[in-house]
Amino acid sequence: MDTLSYKTISANKATAQKEWVVVDATGQTLGRMASKVAKLLRGKYKPSFTPHVDCGDNVIIINADKVVLTGNKWNDRVYLRYTGYPGGQREMTPARLMEKGADRLVLKVVKGMLPKNRLGAALLKNLHVYAGAEHSHEAQQPKSIDINALK
């Protein structure tokens, strides 16, 4: 067997096979769903995964307002941010973030699971979150997937 004929194939922007997928968040636990969505955005479920290239799918999350948190995490978990001024540390709970918009909570959680660099910022643009069941990406003909079937 000629082992020199096997070359490691590295995907690039032109050869990346990107798809549009729809994920229904109804009854899904927030962190478990977000970690799988982050892997979809990165492209880790594809055999042509390349760490430094955006080769993941475009993900549409619908029914983000029906996401579930276990225990008392709606009020006990605290997200901290800092304004940059003295005494400017602000805190936000998932319940208050959900009041501002269900898409904000899901976007924040998925963003925390992506790389903290330019690639992570580019990957986050491939995520579209909607509170209801309707979305405006029908022209892309997205396919619906069962997030529980992924590992």
Side-chain angles (χ1 to χ4, degrees), residues 3 5 7 11 19 34 37 48 83 89 99 103-105 108 118 126-127:
T3 56
S5 65
K7 300 287 186 205
E19 297 176 341
V37 167
S48 63
T83 63
Q89 183 171 324
E99 288 173 6
D103 56 332
R104 288 189 185 196
L105 177 63
K108 179 175 183 55
R118 282 180 290 190
N126 295 334
L127 177 64

Side-chain angles (χ1 to χ4, degrees), residues 18-62:
K18 298 174 72 72
E19 297 176 341
W20 285 80
V21 294
V22 175
V23 173
D24 190 1
T26 305
Q28 297 288 330
T29 307
L30 178 62
R32 293 169 193 255
M33 180 200 67
S35 67
K36 292 175 183 176
V37 167
K39 283 175 98 173
L40 277 170
L41 287 169
R42 261 316 302 263
K44 287 206 163 194
Y45 290 114
K46 296 184 177 187
S48 63
F49 169 68
T50 308
H52 64 279
V53 177
D54 176 9
C55 55
D57 295 332
N58 293 292
V59 180
I60 304 163
I61 299 178
I62 57 173

